[in-house]
Amino acid sequence: AQKITQTQPGMFVQEKEAVTLDCTYDTSDPSYGLFWYKQPSSGEMIFLIYQGSYDQQNATEGRYSLNFQKARKSANLVISASQLGDSAMYFCAMREGSRVGGSYIPTFGRGTSLIVHP
Amino acid sequence: KAGVTQTPRYLIKTRGQQVTLSCSPISGHRSVSWYQQTPGQGLQFLFEYFSETQRNKGNFPGRFSGRQFSNSRSEMNVSTLELGDSALYLCASSLGGGGSRIEQYFGPGTRLTVT
């Protein structure tokens, strides 16, 4: 079963507008982390933002914020004031981590392609 | 601080050949993970090395192998290449502790084409 679901294969947004990229996840582990990465056409995955399952507040990093709704198992990425350079693939990922000292394999969604129009 | 570097950036190989890809992690990072990215399968985990030991392995055939050196640099090897091995191979480094908050920093990838 899919652990990370990104239902939007492609999204379009006008420059300077906000956009929300959807991500839902599935886990029974009470301790987990959620990540968003950006992958421009160059191929390199760029870490954007992290949200821990026990974090009380939604994570924010500059123009990026994560709308974390734990009961709905949703971790949407919000990009405010879109820029042309935001055009890229965006991946949501989850890492379960209740085993102390252990290491769990992170699971990635299939990605959402964001195109920012001038 | 220098980022993750991968060499080579591009490779063209023929079916049946073998290939070795290299990854140098961020200084101080002890964990290196390898991923295969294809349009059809998305991003798939290959394996993770921590302190020269394989800590996790994904669901790939034995043709895919890796190792890590004492300086944390890692190599992955694919033997008897198949057309389906054509992909972007990404390496990611992290500090390597346990728990869920393990931020991985990715390299630019090696694009392998098998003809």
Side-chain angles (χ1 to χ4, degrees):
Chain A
Q2 285 280 352
K3 285 197 168 185
I4 295 284
T5 303
Q6 294 181 253
T7 57
Q8 308 152 313
M11 289 283 286
F12 297 87
V13 66
Q14 203 76 24
E15 194 179 7
K16 298 179 186 176
E17 290 186 349
V19 63
T20 298
L21 307 183
D22 295 342
C23 173
T24 56
Y25 59 92
D26 182 30
T27 181
S28 57
D29 194 323
S31 175
Y32 53 90
L34 297 156
F35 304 79
W36 276 92
Y37 290 88
K38 170 185 177 181
Q39 187 178 39
S41 56
S42 60
E44 183 173 348
M45 299 276 280
I46 302 167
F47 166 75
L48 295 177
I49 196 167
Y50 166 85
Q51 179 83 43
S53 58
Y54 295 119
D55 292 345
Q56 295 297 313
Q57 295 187 328
N58 287 343
T60 61
E61 292 284 349
R63 294 186 300 110
Y64 304 106
S65 61
L66 202 151
N67 184 0
F68 181 46
Q69 298 186 45
K70 196 169 182 177
R72 296 179 61 184
K73 294 188 174 178
S74 164
N76 298 338
L77 176 70
V78 180
I79 305 175
S80 63
S82 297
Q83 301 172 356
L84 297 179
D86 293 335
S87 295
M89 284 290 290
Y90 288 81
F91 292 90
C92 179
M94 176 177 66
R95 190 179 191 119
E96 296 155 312
S98 62
R99 185 163 66 182
V100 175
S103 176
Y104 284 81
I105 298 168
T107 308
F108 285 77
R110 296 305 297 267
T112 295
S113 174
L114 176 66
I115 296 176
V116 181
H117 288 302
Chain B
K1 189 184 270 192
V4 179
T5 58
Q6 290 187 246
T7 56
R9 293 292 312 278
Y10 302 92
L11 263 181
I12 300 175
K13 290 286 188 178
T14 305
R15 268 184 306 175
Q17 289 186 313
Q18 75 161 20
V19 66
T20 299
L21 312 182
S22 180
C23 172
S24 293
I26 292 171
S27 177
H29 284 191
R30 295 167 64 191
S31 168
V32 173
S33 296
W34 288 89
Y35 296 85
Q36 182 196 66
Q37 187 178 27
T38 60
Q41 299 297 320
L43 201 67
Q44 292 186 291
F45 174 81
L46 279 157
F47 29 65
E48 179 199 9
Y49 286 87
F50 177 76
S51 293
E52 302 178 64
T53 301
Q54 188 179 84
R55 185 158 70 172
N56 271 306
K57 188 177 190 302
N59 190 24
F60 277 81
R63 300 185 297 107
F64 292 81
S65 63
R67 59 177 175 168
Q68 187 179 34
F69 302 96
S70 59
N71 62 358
S72 293
R73 190 177 71 86
S74 177
E75 289 181 346
M76 68 162 280
N77 184 276
V78 187
S79 62
T80 320
L81 284 166
E82 300 177 0
L83 294 178
D85 297 333
S86 295
L88 179 67
Y89 289 88
L90 291 164
C91 163
S93 80
S94 67
L95 288 170
S100 61
R101 176 158 196 166
I102 303 176
E103 294 168 24
Q104 291 187 313
Y105 296 87
F106 284 78
T110 295
R111 186 162 298 279
L112 172 64
T113 302
V114 182
T115 62

